[in-house]
């Protein structure tokens, strides 16, 4: 037993990617087990390791943690990425939850029918540029600090850089009206742990392709 | 200014109900400002009160908090309903997140088109009785304690009770196979703050009726 956290999920981004980002940003090495077949998944259920029969699963500190937000909150709390007090924590939670709503649109995108795809990209663009990005652009402008909350690197910064890059993959010029976010993106990308995660060969997963979608449907279909 | 938290939402359960439950369970009095028309929502959006243009919004401790989970986490921590350490918190979070998943399913039932409703109800019952309830039944059985986590009342107990009652509204005998959940339900319902919340005249909201759905939808769409 290595003591490193162990992640069980498909070999793709999905709901596990924010966990990979956060562990990597915290400088924590981790192992991964990839589900490729329905049999593997059914075995996990049969063995009773999935509390609600779902992945992500992260084995960490003697716990078999499930539920993405529970996992992320634990990691953030453990590695001091959750602000210095209850109020900073509240602000980080608000930011993270908003970003998660945006990321949900990206998460579901590969599974939408071909005829809906263009409309969905437009929705993502609309939400990103009208609802979410302006909030963070304003926050950074108002306090003029490097990080979103409390002048200190936190979970909120990691979640935002992940979201910016994910949206840019679909809408390359999406940051064109957001100079603060452009600078933020550059700054975060240059932080040593994040820089390492952004390099080839890291545990970061590529954008979902047809093969990934097929695997999801195969492993999880009822 | 009263100092009491002030909740902004429409006059119904929706995403605000869990917050009402938690504040009530913690013995915290709160005020409510009900959105009745789309204009009410637009006004809040225009005056910059809603971080992401959405409700629920709760004014508390000088903050205008949005995002249901952020609000619930803040209240839970402030009123010591979040366990004693990081690991208890992790367990509470796992239990709560699953309860929220089941809640979402139940909440959307009334919004289903008439021809999909029976199938949707079957899904709720299947998930409740096969995926979620067995977990909590086993947790209570294994430790034999009154509360889900750490032998202490927490948000997990409050949110589970809320969901058990909502599930029973869908199917009154849904807890038949779960004796420990039945006694949990009785026990937690008898906690003074919760007992008070369950009485008529409290700020607990009734289930949305079919006839009220269009009006509620109009505020948000």
């Amino acid at each position: 037993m290595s003591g490193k956290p162990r992640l069980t999920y498909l070999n793709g981004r999905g709901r596990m990617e924010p966990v990979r980002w956060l562990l990597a940003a915290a400088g924590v090495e981790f192992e991964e087990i990839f589900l490729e077949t329905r049999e593997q998944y059914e075995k996990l259920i049969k063995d009773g390791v999935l509390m609600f029969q779902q992945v992500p699963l992260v084995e960490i500190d003697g716990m078999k943690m499930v539920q993405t937000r529970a996992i992320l909150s634990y990691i953030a709390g453990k590695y001091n990425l959750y602000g210095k007090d209850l109020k900073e924590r509240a602000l980080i939670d608000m930011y993270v939850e908003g970003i998660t709503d945006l990321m949900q649109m990206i998460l579901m995108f590969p599974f939408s029918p071909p005829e809906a795809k263009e409309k969905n990209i437009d929705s993502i663009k609309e939400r990103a540029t009208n609802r979410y990005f302006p909030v963070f652009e304003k926050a950074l402008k108002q306090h003029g600090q490097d990080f979103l909350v409390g002048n200190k690197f936190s979970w909120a910064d990691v979640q935002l850089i992940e979201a910016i890059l994910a949206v840019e993959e679909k809408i390359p010029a999406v940051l064109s009206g957001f100079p603060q976010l452009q600078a933020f993106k550059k700054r975060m990308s240059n932080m040593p742990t994040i820089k390492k995660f952004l390099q080839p060969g890291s545990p970061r997963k590529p954008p979902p392709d047809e093969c990934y979608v097929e695997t999801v449907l195969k492993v999880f279909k009822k | 200014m009263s100092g009491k938290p002030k909740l902004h939402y429409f006059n119904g359960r929706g995403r605000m109900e869990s917050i009402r439950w938690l504040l009530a369970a913690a013995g915290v009095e709160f005020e409510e400002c009900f959105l009745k028309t789309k204009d009410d929502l637009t006004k809040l959006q225009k005056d910059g009160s809603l971080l992401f243009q959405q409700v629920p919004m709760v004014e508390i401790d000088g903050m205008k908090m949005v995002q249901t989970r952020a609000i619930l986490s803040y209240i839970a921590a402030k009123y010591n309903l979040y366990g004693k350490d990081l690991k208890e918190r992790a367990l509470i979070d796992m239990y709560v997140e699953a309860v929220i998943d089941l809640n979402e399913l139940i909440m959307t039932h009334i919004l289903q088109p008439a021809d999909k409703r029976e199938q949707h109800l079957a899904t709720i019952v299947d998930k409740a009785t096969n995926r979620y309830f067995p977990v909590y039944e086993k947790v209570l059985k294994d430790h034999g304690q009154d509360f889900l986590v750490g032998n202490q009342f927490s948000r997990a107990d409050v949110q589970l009770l809320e969901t058990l009652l909502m599930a029973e509204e869908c199917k009154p005998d849904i807890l038949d196979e779960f004796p420990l959940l039945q006694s949990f339900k009785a026990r937690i319902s008898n906690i003074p703050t919760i007992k008070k919340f369950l009485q008529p005249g409290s700020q607990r909201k009734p289930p949305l009726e079919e006839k009220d759905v269009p009006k509620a939808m109009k505020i948000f769409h």
Side-chain angles (χ1 to χ4, degrees), chain A residues 130-192:
Chain A
N130 292 331
R131 178 173 287 189
Y132 296 109
F133 287 175
V135 170
F136 305 110
E137 180 79 8
K138 183 179 177 200
L140 290 167
K141 186 166 189 195
Q142 280 189 335
H143 59 48
Q145 291 161 4
D146 282 356
F147 306 108
L148 283 172
V149 178
N151 208 12
K152 192 170 165 229
F153 185 51
S154 78
W155 177 18
D157 301 299
V158 183
Q159 199 72 72
L160 181 57
I161 179 72
E162 179 190 1
I164 286 172
L165 296 179
V167 175
E168 274 188 331
E169 278 170 356
K170 302 225 155 345
I171 304 150
V174 75
L175 286 192
S176 60
F178 302 101
Q180 298 283 338
L181 290 181
Q182 290 174 35
F184 174 85
K185 173 190 154 191
K186 217 164 162 186
R187 229 166 29 242
M188 291 303 120
S189 303
N190 271 315
M191 290 186 67

Side-chain angles (χ1 to χ4, degrees), chain A residues 192-207:
Chain A
T193 50
I194 294 184
K195 190 170 188 170
K196 190 172 168 198
F197 188 63
L198 290 174
Q199 272 156 5
S202 83
R204 188 183 184 212
K205 301 296 173 276

